[in-house]
Structures are given as structure tokens and as C-alpha cells.
Amino acid sequence: MRVLLVEDDETLAAGIARALRAENFAVDVAVNGEDGGHLGATELYDAAVLDLGLPLRDGLSVLRDWRAAGRDLPVLILTARDGWSEKVAGFKAGADDYLVKPFRVEEVIMRLRALVRRAAGHAAALVTCGPLVFDAQLGTFELDGLPLKLTAFEWRVLSTLMLRREVVVERTDLIERVYEGDADVDSNSVEVIIGRLRRKIGATLIETVRGRGYRLTAGT
């Protein structure tokens, strides 16, 4: 899962990004509304965390432009503005959730997971595919009832496939969701990760769709 974090307090942004990466998220950080707006409009993200009081462009105008352009990524507003009118304005602009500073970063993580899960069409936290179970709220995997240990890259690929089980996920889609914007991506990196996952969960659960990408399937 890849998240866009738009926050002008660089110390706070670094702390949030560090916590998200520790939970296997890929994170791109923008410290002003102009850069954040551009990234959200041109890059693929599973969700965005957006401050309102940003330099160059305020968060509400950034969000309105995303929605006007048809960008439907889930957006969690993170702001010190706690008045009812500010919250109403945020939701009218297209926010999916609203969290007031100060906050616990664990709550940011839990809210983001819920937003991503619901955006993928899953009302319940537990997502299953054959012997594989993904707790999308806690971010944990089990295989045949036992905990599954994954690297951050493996987790990002498998969670993306799991939330879209039985649907072909384009290879380019996976690359964009696995790596941060400044990453140097090797041409066969996704194939390497898929190979490692097949060794961990079995060769038949991840199906290669030639010329397109991959599908997680429980078979028939």
C-alpha cells in the first residue's frame, strides 16, 4: 500500500512516515500544497493524509481539485482545526475521514487501513482467499491458521492482490503501489517478489496473466 502524506511540519511528517513504513506502507511526503496537489493528481496512491494549513496552497483547495478531476483516493484530513465548520468544510470538499491534532500515530494507521479496505470494497476486516487470511485492520496474514512472515515489499504486493482477489492487477499497478516515488526500481523486481511469495504461500494461489499482471485466486 502506498500513501501520500502532505504535511508542512517536517518533524511531524518524518515521524508519521517512519511509523507508516514500520507498518509496511510505502510513503511519499510533500511539505506544501503545490507539491502535494501535483503528486495526488499524477501518481497512484491507496490513500492520502492531508493537512489543511499548508504553504503555497491550502489543503481544502488541493482536495477540491483532486475530486473535481475525478481522483477518488481515500483522504484522511489531519489538522489542528477542530471547529465544527472546518470539519463540515473538509467533508464537503471530499474528505473521507478527519482527525484533529494532537493525535496518536497508531490511530492514523488504523484509520488509513480502514479507508483502504473499504475503498477496495471490503466491509469486514478479515479477507480470505483459500487458506490465506488477511486481517486488513491489523495488517496481519495467516496461512492455514499460522502467522505468515513477510518482508515489507512482499506485504505490499500480497495485500494489494488480497484486497483485489480474483481480479487481475496490472504489473504497472503493483510497481506503483509497492515502491515510493524516489525508488530506483529494477525491471524484474515485481517478478522476484512474486516468486518469493509463491514459495511462502504456494505456487497456485498467485496466477500470472500474460501481458497484464497477476491475480490472487483460490481456484475452483
Side-chain angles (χ1 to χ4, degrees):
M1 298 182 189
R2 186 180 176 199
V3 171
L4 172 62
L5 172 59
V6 191
E7 167 61 62
D8 66 319
D9 184 328
E10 296 189 35
T11 301
L12 178 60
I16 297 172
R18 184 167 54 250
L20 288 172
R21 289 173 180 134
E23 294 296 325
N24 298 320
F25 288 90
V27 185
D28 290 345
V29 179
V31 296
N32 62 69
E34 188 172 288
D35 291 342
H38 175 72
L39 286 172
T42 58
E43 298 285 331
L44 180 64
Y45 294 100
D46 292 289
V49 179
L50 180 65
D51 189 15
L52 294 184
L54 296 166
L56 302 186
R57 290 188 63 200
D58 69 276
L60 283 182
S61 69
V62 168
L63 180 53
R64 290 191 190 102
D65 282 356
W66 286 346
R67 296 310 190 221
R71 300 292 285 180
D72 60 355
L73 78 162
V75 174
L76 168 62
I77 286 180
L78 196 64
T79 180
R81 302 177 186 177
D82 61 353
W84 175 245
S85 60
E86 284 86 356
K87 291 181 181 180
V88 170
F91 284 115
K92 281 186 174 181
D96 298 276
D97 203 353
Y98 197 107
L99 188 58
V100 176
K101 301 173 184 178
F103 57 86
R104 292 180 63 90
V105 72
E106 293 86 354
E107 185 173 2
V108 175
I109 293 167
M110 295 296 280
R111 288 179 183 241
L112 280 176
R113 285 175 176 158
L115 288 176
V116 172
R117 168 173 55 84
R118 292 179 190 132
H122 299 281
L126 294 182
V127 182
T128 63
C129 186
L132 196 60
V133 178
F134 178 41
D135 188 326
Q137 197 56 55
L138 296 180
T140 58
F141 281 93
E142 288 186 357
L143 180 68
D144 292 321
L146 297 175
L148 182 61
K149 188 175 182 180
L150 301 169
T151 67
F153 287 144
E154 291 167 355
W155 186 91
R156 292 171 194 166
V157 169
L158 190 56
S159 62
T160 298
L161 293 174
M162 194 72 171
L163 290 175
R164 295 157 183 80
R165 64 177 193 248
E166 305 296 346
V167 173
V168 178
V169 179
E170 303 286 340
R171 181 180 177 277
T172 53
D173 231 20
L174 277 177
I175 290 173
E176 288 196 62
R177 293 181 190 278
V178 168
Y179 295 99
E180 296 177 357
D182 58 355
D184 185 14
V185 182
D186 186 82
S187 60
N188 67 341
S189 57
V190 169
E191 287 79 3
V192 171
I193 297 170
I194 292 290
R196 294 203 307 255
L197 283 172
R198 282 173 170 153
R199 289 192 290 273
K200 290 186 176 183
I201 68 174
T204 60
L205 283 176
I206 301 177
E207 178 183 273
T208 299
V209 180
R210 292 194 178 278
R212 294 185 61 191
Y214 301 92
R215 173 170 49 215
L216 189 72
T217 177
T220 56

